[in-house]
């Protein structure tokens, strides 16, 4: 049975292209990033699953008045297995980030471009590749009339790119009965080109907005104002000392240390000859699990007090996202063993359980007491201009999913 499934998947190049073309053409951007949500893309995927004969598709709607339809949809489809008390879930997300600076793209980010065996477009890797791979497995099962050892579950969630409040986090809080204690969970939402990283742990994550308040004035008379750009720059440089305050390393993770990076900077003044009286920037912190995020915040506040005293400004802090690390999935967990064996069988190499700094929906599952693995074969180039995905990885990852699903079967 498995051999037939793998052979069927191997022949699905055109299906990969057709699905990716559809997915890329629908910019499912969340309202936090100025978009209208996942409704249209969800409808397209429901229609596709129905077209291959999947029945009993369930939709879950998280209320959100910021989008036209008033909700953020997630959709689940289960193909029954021999043991219907267990489900092997593949969880992907339908939302994407905005394209960013269009001048950096060589093509329309929302029109699929094919370069030999490479697909280009917003979302082709993050997370369309995971969506497509899971659908290839479903298509093979349905068209061959196969029955896996356990249920095969496809879950396409909303809002992953902005914290999952309207996605998997919502489902775990409001629909706890959709998952069983013996279920298996794969999230194809992070990976390395070698396929060898089998992610079982994540760092704590803190996103902080820092607003610096001073006094605006004409640039020719700086003594009449308080320059917040200077103070912000000093604060950004001061934040590099966080690496000294929290110096631990853990070889499970890559990178093995905590990271503290200034990222987004909001515009201040529009003209060159005005000293800004307000500056806003953001800091992205990925912290090893042994440290408490409250301790990191206190260290930042302490540095801020020093900068305020030196430069005569005020600082305000807004926590954009704060997630203390969830318990790691045990190395000996069943899903880890299945995935390590399946990756080795398809891609070779030495697949190894690892920890990462990037946050995924796996943390929500682990926090709820489920063992979850995050894995995919990525370039990676998520969130970058000219985002790319290899057709062979869409197919190969589907074969890994199938092997993990049919582990122990014939």
């Amino acid at each position: 049975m498995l051999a037939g499934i793998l052979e069927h998947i191997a022949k699905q190049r055109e299906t990969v292209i057709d699905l990716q073309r559809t997915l890329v053409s629908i910019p499912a951007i969340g309202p936090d990033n100025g978009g209208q949500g996942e409704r249209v893309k969800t409808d397209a995927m429901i229609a596709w699953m129905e077209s291959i004969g999947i029945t009993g598709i369930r939709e879950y709607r998280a209320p959100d008045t910021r989008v036209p339809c008033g909700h953020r949809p997630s959709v689940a489809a289960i193909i029954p297995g021999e043991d219907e008390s267990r489900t092997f879930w593949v969880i992907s997300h339908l939302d994407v980030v905005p394209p960013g600076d269009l001048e950096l793209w060589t093509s329309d980010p929302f029109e699929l471009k094919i370069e030999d065996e490479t697909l280009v477009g917003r979302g082709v890797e993050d997370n369309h590749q995971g969506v497509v791979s899971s659908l290839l497995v479903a298509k093979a099962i349905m068209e061959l009339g196969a029955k896996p050892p356990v249920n095969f579950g496809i879950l396409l969630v909303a809002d992953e790119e902005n914290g999952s409040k309207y996605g998997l986090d919502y489902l775990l809080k409001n629909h706890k009965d959709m998952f069983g204690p013996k279920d298996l969970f794969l999230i194809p939402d992070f990976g390395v080109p070698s396929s060898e990283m089998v992610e079982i742990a994540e760092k704590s994550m803190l996103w902080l907005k820092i607003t610096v308040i001073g006094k605006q004035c004409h640039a020719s008379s700086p003594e009449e104002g308080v320059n917040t750009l200077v103070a912000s720059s000093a604060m950004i440089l001061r934040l590099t000392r966080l690496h000294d305050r929290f110096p631990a390393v853990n070889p499970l993770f890559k990178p093995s240390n905590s990271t503290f990076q200034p990222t987004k900077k909001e515009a201040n003044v529009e003209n060159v000859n005005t000293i800004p009286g307000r500056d806003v920037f953001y800091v992205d912190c990925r912290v090893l699990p042994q440290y408490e995020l409250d301790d990191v915040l206190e260290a930042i506040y302490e540095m801020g007090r020093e900068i305020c005293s030196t430069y005569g400004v005020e600082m305000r802090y807004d926590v954009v996202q704060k997630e203390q690390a969830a318990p790691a999935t045990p190395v000996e967990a069943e899903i880890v063993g299945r995935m390590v064996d399946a990756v080795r069988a398809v891609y070779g190499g030495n697949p190894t359980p690892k920890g990462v700094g990037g946050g995924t929906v796996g943390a929500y599952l682990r926090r709820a007491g489920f063992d979850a693995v995050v894995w995919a074969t990525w370039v990676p180039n998520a969130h970058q201009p000219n985002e790319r995905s290899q057709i062979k990885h869409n197919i190969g990852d589907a074969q890994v999913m199938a092997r993990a699903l049919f582990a122990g079967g014939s």
Side-chain angles (χ1 to χ4, degrees):
M1 183 185 299
L2 176 57
I5 295 288
L6 297 176
E7 183 180 357
H8 186 285
I9 291 170
K11 299 176 180 178
Q12 297 304 308
R13 182 181 186 275
E14 292 306 312
T15 303
V16 171
I17 293 172
D18 289 344
L19 275 168
Q20 285 274 18
R21 180 176 287 114
T22 297
L23 289 163
V24 169
S25 70
I26 308 172
I29 296 171
D32 292 289
N33 293 323
Q36 298 187 348
E38 304 84 0
R39 180 69 267 166
V40 177
K41 186 177 282 188
T42 299
D43 288 340
M45 291 302 97
I46 290 174
W48 191 92
M49 288 189 285
E50 289 176 339
S51 75
I52 64 169
I54 296 178
T55 59
I57 298 171
R58 295 169 292 165
E59 185 179 317
Y60 302 88
R61 298 179 174 184
D64 188 349
T65 58
R66 300 173 300 165
V67 294
C69 65
H71 62 264
R72 310 289 292 282
S74 295
V75 59
I78 294 179
I79 299 175
E82 297 289 348
D83 180 359
E84 295 192 21
S85 70
R86 306 186 71 194
T87 300
F88 182 101
W89 289 99
V90 179
I91 304 176
S92 308
H93 64 88
L94 291 178
D95 59 320
V96 299
V97 295
D101 186 352
L102 295 178
E103 294 296 323
L104 300 177
W105 286 79
T106 58
S107 59
D108 184 339
F110 296 111
E111 182 176 329
L112 186 69
K113 180 181 179 182
I114 304 171
E115 299 177 348
D116 297 323
E117 295 302 302
T118 300
L119 307 174
V120 182
R122 175 52 85 225
V124 290
E125 183 175 74
D126 182 20
N127 194 215
H128 298 165
Q129 184 173 309
V131 174
V132 170
S133 294
S134 66
L135 294 178
L136 292 186
V137 177
K139 185 173 187 285
I141 293 172
M142 297 301 296
E143 293 186 352
L144 295 179
K147 197 162 192 177
V150 298
N151 301 334
F152 181 56
I154 298 170
L155 179 56
L156 308 178
V157 296
D159 194 37
E160 190 277 341
E161 296 292 0
N162 290 100
S164 295
K165 176 182 177 182
Y166 302 94
L168 187 57
D169 188 30
Y170 172 83
L171 296 178
L172 287 166
K173 289 176 178 176
N174 295 276
H175 299 280
K176 297 178 182 178
D177 59 344
M178 69 183 295
F179 302 128
K182 297 189 296 180
D183 286 357
L184 303 163
F185 298 89
L186 168 63
I187 300 98
D189 195 24
F190 188 79
V192 295
S194 69
S195 309
E196 293 180 316
M197 177 181 284
V198 178
E199 189 258 87
I200 62 170
E202 298 173 12
K203 296 176 182 176
S204 299
M205 182 164 59
L206 173 67
W207 293 354
L208 188 65
K209 174 183 177 182
I210 300 179
T211 303
V212 183
I213 307 297
K215 183 180 179 183
Q216 182 174 310
C217 69
H218 197 284
S220 66
S221 305
E223 72 281 359
E224 296 180 2
V226 178
N227 194 324
T228 55
L229 180 57
V230 172
S232 293
S233 301
M235 181 63 175
I236 289 170
L237 292 174
R238 183 66 59 88
L239 289 172
T240 62
R241 299 182 186 179
L242 289 169
H243 294 95
D244 299 323
R245 293 283 294 271
F246 304 96
V249 295
N250 184 334
L252 177 67
F253 292 91
K254 184 179 180 181
S256 60
N257 57 294
S258 300
T259 59
F260 308 94
Q261 292 296 312
T263 54
K264 180 179 177 179
K265 171 73 170 65
E266 294 185 4
N268 47 31
V269 292
E270 296 180 349
N271 50 311
V272 175
N273 60 341
T274 296
I275 284 176
R278 182 178 181 273
D279 262 277
V280 179
F281 68 95
Y282 295 74
V283 183
D284 181 314
C285 306
R286 309 298 171 111
V287 185
L288 289 175
Q290 66 226 61
Y291 294 122
E292 294 292 327
L293 290 180
D294 286 342
D295 293 337
V296 175
L297 279 169
E298 184 50 45
I300 293 173
Y301 298 156
E302 178 184 319
M303 294 175 181
R305 288 191 289 268
E306 295 172 358
I307 296 297
C308 288
S309 176
T310 301
Y311 292 91
V313 296
E314 297 178 14
M315 285 192 189
R316 299 171 186 169
Y317 305 90
D318 294 288
V319 175
V320 179
Q321 190 162 333
K322 181 184 176 187
E323 294 289 344
Q324 193 69 37
T329 295
V331 173
E332 63 275 11
E334 179 183 355
I335 183 61
V336 177
R338 284 187 182 226
M339 288 304 301
V340 168
D341 290 345
V343 174
R344 184 179 292 115
V346 174
Y347 287 112
N350 183 34
T352 306
K354 288 286 186 180
V356 299
T360 74
V361 295
Y364 295 98
L365 289 163
R366 293 172 184 142
R367 199 169 285 118
F370 297 108
D371 293 334
V373 159
V374 178
W375 172 87
T377 308
W378 276 17
V379 174
N381 59 177
H383 296 203
Q384 296 180 22
N386 304 305
E387 183 177 347
R388 295 167 181 266
S389 173
Q390 299 292 315
I391 294 174
K392 65 180 180 180
H393 292 161
N394 288 253
I395 290 172
D397 285 11
Q399 291 178 320
V400 169
M401 294 173 188
R403 281 189 175 274
L405 171 63
F406 281 86
S410 59

